């Protein structure tokens, strides 16, 4: 309740109490008979009921589980949301809840075509380093952020301002559907959440079933956004590789994104190389030239010409838009096509991508998201 409304209502309540408890506080007028206490008390009660009728109902609360497994209590209804990263923003649009977004992360400006008018919303700092003052000024009912970023102190600072924080990742395939359902329940978007999860689960099952029948799992070197930075067993990209039927050559490493050397990759002798390209803005790309340039640079690295992946033209580059996140399913479909060209010859990742964009994002399908294929060998 705004301060003006609150003080006005308090004055009315005070006046009502005066009428009820002291019905004869006004000096009697000799020309008029004194009012009967019962009638005045009844009038006071009526005023009180009218005031109660126009006052907002007390907020309810809902308990949910965050990405860290913690129970979080969120006051409902949630009408004003700050989305601190692209994955939470994309899921809000999937749930048709974009009208509740009042603030977004600053990096949204890197993809203006994909996000459209959402780029005009107030900015609340970077996804790792949010601006607390900017968030507080927006008076959100909820802030959505990743499980690990920003740090734990962010929750405490928001709590001091009375702003709830819910940490959900939306970039891990193993937990994506469950997190979407949880947010859908919190926002009263249960049907929208179920629609997406049914679509997602059906397509993922098709990939799993076909991969399960494959007699061979190719050795894959996955390079993250930085050169010579691969992906370990706790990363989302590792999960994607396994789902697509690949064998990650860095599966025995400890860190999620370990740095490696060219000689290490050479010794692992990978059959396929996949490179993730950050901020390639595939949605507004008219061709694959930028992806092809990165692919060619990898193939020209010293002594890598003896690696089977390079010799057979099985080096691929993928846009970060489909590299983990809500659209990781599309990335997995591309990996499956690259790992098993014959087994997935009838699966068109572009068609799946078009379905997703039109049905769940409300935008037309367009853009280029991978390098051109140089495949010389099928298995």
């Amino acid at each position: 309740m705004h301060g003006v409304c609150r003080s006005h209502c308090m004055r009315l309540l005070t006046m009502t109490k005066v009428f009820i408890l002291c019905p004869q506080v006004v000096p009697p007028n000799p020309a008029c008979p004194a009012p009967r206490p019962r009638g005045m008390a009844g009038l006071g009660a009526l005023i009180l009921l009218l005031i109660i009728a126009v006052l907002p109902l007390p907020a309810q609360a809902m308990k949910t589980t965050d990405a860290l497994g913690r129970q979080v209590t969120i006051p409902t209804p949630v009408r004003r949301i700050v989305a601190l990263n692209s994955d939470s923003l994309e899921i809000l649009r999937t749930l048709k809840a974009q009208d509740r977004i009042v603030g977004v992360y600053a990096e949204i400006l890197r993809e203006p075509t994909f996000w459209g008018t959402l780029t005009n919303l107030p900015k609340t700092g970077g996804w790792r380093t949010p601006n607390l003052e900017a968030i507080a000024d927006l008076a959100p009912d909820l802030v959505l952020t990743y499980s690990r970023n920003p740090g734990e102190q962010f929750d405490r600072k928001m709590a001091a301002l009375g702003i709830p924080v819910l940490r959900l990742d939306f970039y891990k395939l193993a937990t994506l559907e469950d997190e979407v359902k949880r947010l859908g329940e919190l926002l009263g978007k249960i049907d929208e959440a179920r629609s997406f999860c049914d679509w997602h689960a059906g397509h993922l099952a098709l990939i799993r079933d076909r991969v399960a029948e494959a007699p061979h799992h190719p050795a894959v070197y996955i390079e993250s956004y930085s050169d010579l930075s691969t992906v370990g067993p706790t990363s989302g990209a590792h999960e994607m590789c396994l789902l697509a039927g690949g064998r990650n050559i860095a599966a025995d490493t400890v860190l999620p994104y370990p740095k490696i050397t060219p000689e290490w990759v050479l010794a692992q002798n990978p059959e396929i190389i996949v490179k993730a390209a950050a901020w390639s803005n595939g949605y507004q790309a008219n061709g694959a030239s930028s992806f092809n340039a990165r692919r060619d640079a990898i193939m020209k690295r010293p002594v890598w010409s003896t690696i089977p992946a390079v010799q057979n033209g099985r080096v691929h580059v993928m846009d970060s838009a489909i590299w983990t996140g809500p659209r990781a399913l599309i990335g997995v479909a591309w990996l499956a096509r690259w790992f098993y060209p014959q087994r997935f010859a009838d699966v068109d990742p572009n068609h799946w991508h078009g379905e997703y964009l039109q049905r769940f994002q409300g935008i037309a399908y367009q853009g280029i998201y991978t390098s051109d294929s140089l495949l010389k060998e099928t298995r």
Side-chain angles (χ1 to χ4, degrees):
M1 187 186 303
H2 294 295
V4 174
C5 295
R6 184 188 302 274
S7 45
H8 178 64
C9 289
M10 290 303 296
R11 284 197 299 271
L12 288 175
L13 284 170
T14 303
M15 291 170 59
T16 302
K17 290 179 181 178
V18 170
F19 275 119
I20 294 173
L21 299 177
C22 306
Q24 296 182 0
V25 291
V26 180
N29 186 336
C32 301
R36 289 184 299 172
R38 179 178 296 181
M40 186 59 73
L43 177 60
L46 178 60
I47 294 173
L48 180 59
L49 289 173
L50 290 174
I51 292 173
I52 293 173
V54 299
L55 288 175
L57 292 174
Q60 303 299 310
M62 181 177 294
K63 288 186 177 180
T64 189
T65 306
D66 70 3
L68 298 173
R70 304 175 303 186
Q71 284 286 309
V72 183
T73 301
I74 308 294
T76 58
V78 176
R79 296 191 180 96
R80 298 176 59 82
I81 305 172
V82 166
L84 283 186
N85 56 68
S86 62
D87 293 332
S88 61
L89 187 61
E90 194 162 329
I91 292 302
L92 286 170
R93 195 157 70 171
T94 296
L95 296 175
K96 305 297 184 290
Q98 59 266 40
D99 59 324
R100 306 189 198 185
I101 304 168
V102 296
V104 293
Y105 59 104
E107 293 90 344
I108 191 176
L109 295 175
R110 295 182 178 181
E111 299 178 283
T113 307
F114 180 77
W115 292 116
T117 57
L118 290 175
T119 59
N120 298 328
L121 290 171
K123 310 305 180 294
T124 56
W127 64 276
R128 278 197 181 101
T129 56
N131 185 320
L132 275 63
E133 185 177 353
I135 295 173
D137 286 345
L138 295 172
D141 301 318
L142 179 67
V143 176
L144 288 172
T145 188
Y146 288 131
S147 60
R148 301 296 180 185
N149 285 291
E152 293 181 3
Q153 67 276 11
F154 176 74
D155 296 49
R156 293 193 290 270
K157 292 176 180 178
M158 287 290 99
L161 298 171
I163 300 174
V165 175
L166 181 60
R167 293 178 176 268
L168 297 174
D169 287 323
F170 301 122
Y171 65 81
K172 299 176 181 178
L173 280 163
T175 57
L176 173 61
E177 292 171 21
D178 184 55
E179 289 184 342
V180 170
K181 290 176 182 177
R182 273 182 264 162
L183 185 60
E185 183 179 8
L186 180 65
L187 301 183
K189 296 286 186 176
I190 296 175
D191 291 341
E192 290 82 355
R194 183 184 299 113
S195 177
F196 167 76
C197 292
D198 288 348
W199 178 88
H200 189 269
H203 287 72
L204 201 56
L206 182 151
I207 295 175
R208 283 195 176 104
D209 291 346
R210 293 194 184 184
V211 165
E213 300 171 354
H216 172 75
H217 298 282
V220 184
Y221 166 59
I222 300 176
E223 187 168 274
S224 191
Y225 304 129
S226 302
D227 289 348
L228 298 176
S229 174
T230 190
V231 297
T234 59
S235 67
H238 171 77
E239 179 188 20
M240 292 173 64
C241 180
L242 296 184
L243 284 169
R247 179 170 57 84
N248 180 12
I249 63 173
D252 294 332
T253 58
V254 177
L255 299 174
Y257 300 100
K259 296 292 290 185
I260 46 86
T261 64
E263 293 74 21
W264 180 85
V265 178
L266 184 65
Q268 302 304 314
N269 216 31
E271 300 168 69
I272 300 170
I273 295 174
V274 179
K275 166 74 174 178
W279 303 111
S280 299
N281 213 347
Y283 188 73
Q284 65 184 45
N286 296 318
S289 58
S290 64
F291 298 113
N292 292 342
R294 299 190 195 198
R295 177 204 63 201
D296 295 345
I298 292 173
M299 297 180 71
K300 292 176 182 178
R301 289 177 181 174
V303 306
W304 278 25
S305 60
T306 61
I307 295 176
V310 176
Q311 291 180 334
N312 297 318
R314 304 188 75 178
V315 180
H316 308 275
V317 178
M318 180 185 297
D319 183 17
S320 56
I322 56 175
W323 184 256
T324 74
R327 282 177 281 169
L329 169 68
I330 311 303
V332 173
W334 276 113
L335 293 179
R337 284 264 299 192
W338 294 335
F339 297 172
Y340 306 101
Q342 294 178 334
R343 189 174 292 272
F344 287 89
D346 63 330
V347 172
D348 182 1
N350 287 325
H351 178 70
W352 290 14
H353 200 171
E355 279 186 330
Y356 172 83
L357 292 178
Q358 294 167 26
R359 181 174 171 183
F360 299 110
Q361 294 299 300
I363 58 178
Y365 172 76
Q366 64 181 54
I368 303 294
Y369 300 87
T370 66
S371 58
D372 293 327
S373 177
L374 297 176
L375 183 61
K376 299 177 182 178
E377 172 189 53
T378 58
R379 184 176 298 277

